[in-house]
């Protein structure tokens, strides 16, 4: 069975550009969450989506946005990139409900120059 | 405000011995706890979880203990194997399925 997939695996952008990251959840999983992991830190929650609706948002600026599609895949968009946006962006999927384990994809490593 | 803390950035253990990784939390609303293992250039891999209604959960070589009064949980790996060398993250959740992670502990198993 395929796990969570993310694309692209690596990305280099310059300041001020925008980026779109993509995620496909595990088959049957309807909830998708996005996390940012900077070097030396644990992942930080950005968004959670279920049934195409935002169900949770972390402490990130409005430059960050996301959406979920009818097939439960998701995109994370970041506008006006800053050097500090350089990080590993992780997508996780889970069944819907409390105390359902989140399974992570391999991540997209974004470098902003 | 770090609500989930892993105070040991690194830990070295001899192969075959027990590895004990610790995690403390401050938010008493957390009711579900997970441990993830992460290799470089990969996403976190789920290891084991525990609900706040339990104090122990075991899965093969991995056991998680939860002490709610101390707001402390630990992961025991017995016996430790070279393939266990990785960064281990503790995570906690309540209500809205948002995970709050600790900063990780790098475990090195010495052959």
């Amino acid at each position: 069975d395929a796990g969570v997939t993310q694309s692209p695996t690596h990305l280099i952008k310059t300041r001020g550009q925008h980026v779109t990251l993509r995620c496909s959840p595990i088959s049957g999983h309807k909830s998708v969450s996005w996390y940012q992991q900077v070097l030396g830190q644990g992942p930080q929650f950005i968004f959670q989506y279920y049934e195409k609706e935002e169900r949770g948002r972390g402490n990130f600026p409005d430059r960050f946005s996301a959406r979920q599609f009818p097939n439960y895949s998701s995109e994370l968009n970041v506008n006006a990139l800053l050097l500090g946006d350089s990080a590993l962006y992780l997508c996780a999927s889970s069944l819907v409900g409390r105390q359902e384990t989140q399974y992570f994809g391999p991540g997209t490593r974004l470098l902003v120059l | 405000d770090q609500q989930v803390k892993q105070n040991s950035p690194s830990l070295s253990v001899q192969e075959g011995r027990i590895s004990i990784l610790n995690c403390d939390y401050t938010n008493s609303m957390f009711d579900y706890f997970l441990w993830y293992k992460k290799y470089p250039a990969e996403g976190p891999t789920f290891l084991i979880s525990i609900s706040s209604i339990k104090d122990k959960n075991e899965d093969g070589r991995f056991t998680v203990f939860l002490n709610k009064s101390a707001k402390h949980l630990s992961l025991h790996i017995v016996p430790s194997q070279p393939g266990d060398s990785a960064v281990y993250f503790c995570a906690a959740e309540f209500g809205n399925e948002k995970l709050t992670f600790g900063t990780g502990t790098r475990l090195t198993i010495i052959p």
Side-chain angles (χ1 to χ4, degrees):
Chain A
D1 287 342
V4 177
T5 59
Q6 293 185 244
S7 63
T9 56
H10 296 83
L11 205 50
I12 299 175
K13 292 286 188 178
T14 57
R15 281 178 297 175
Q17 287 188 311
H18 74 272
V19 67
T20 298
L21 310 180
R22 295 176 177 82
C23 170
S24 292
I26 292 171
S27 178
H29 286 190
K30 298 182 179 180
S31 176
V32 171
S33 297
W34 287 94
Y35 293 80
Q36 179 197 64
Q37 186 182 15
V38 300
L39 201 61
Q41 299 294 318
Q44 297 288 317
F45 173 76
I46 309 175
F47 286 112
Q48 191 222 356
Y49 273 78
Y50 165 59
E51 290 290 0
K52 297 179 289 181
E53 289 189 7
E54 181 184 303
R55 295 301 180 101
R57 183 184 183 111
N59 188 24
F60 281 81
D62 292 344
R63 299 184 296 108
F64 288 75
S65 64
R67 56 180 177 167
Q68 187 178 35
F69 299 98
N71 66 354
Y72 303 108
S73 67
S74 178
E75 285 182 353
L76 175 70
N77 295 284
V78 187
N79 293 324
L81 286 167
L82 303 174
L83 297 180
D85 295 331
S86 296
L88 180 68
Y89 288 85
L90 295 162
C91 173
S93 77
S94 66
L95 295 169
V96 176
R98 299 186 65 240
Q99 302 194 357
E100 291 291 347
T101 298
Q102 294 187 30
Y103 295 91
F104 284 83
T108 294
R109 185 159 296 282
L110 172 64
L111 178 61
V112 182
L113 301 176
Chain B
D1 177 24
Q2 191 72 22
Q3 296 188 62
V4 177
K5 301 178 184 180
Q6 294 177 255
N7 292 318
S8 299
S10 63
L11 176 68
S12 294
V13 174
Q14 287 279 351
E15 181 179 359
R17 305 293 289 268
I18 183 172
S19 296
I20 300 176
L21 297 98
N22 293 303
C23 177
D24 297 296
Y25 62 96
T26 57
N27 189 340
S28 58
M29 297 296 291
F30 287 138
D31 60 2
Y32 189 54
F33 303 89
L34 307 93
W35 284 94
Y36 288 87
K37 170 182 177 181
K38 190 178 184 302
Y39 294 117
E42 294 184 10
T45 300
F46 168 72
L47 278 176
I48 192 167
S49 62
I50 187 167
S51 169
S52 60
I53 62 173
K54 298 184 177 180
D55 55 18
K56 176 182 174 181
N57 189 27
E58 189 172 355
D59 184 2
R61 297 187 298 116
F62 302 93
T63 303
V64 56
F65 295 92
L66 176 62
N67 182 335
K68 288 187 291 294
S69 61
K71 295 190 178 69
H72 176 84
L73 66 156
S74 61
L75 174 68
H76 293 210
I77 306 174
V78 181
S80 299
Q81 299 174 353
D84 296 330
S85 294
V87 177
Y88 288 77
F89 289 98
C90 164
E93 173 195 306
F94 75 93
N96 59 1
E97 303 176 40
K98 159 194 167 183
L99 291 179
T100 301
F101 282 84
T103 52
T105 296
R106 181 176 300 279
L107 175 66
T108 302
I109 304 302
I110 304 166

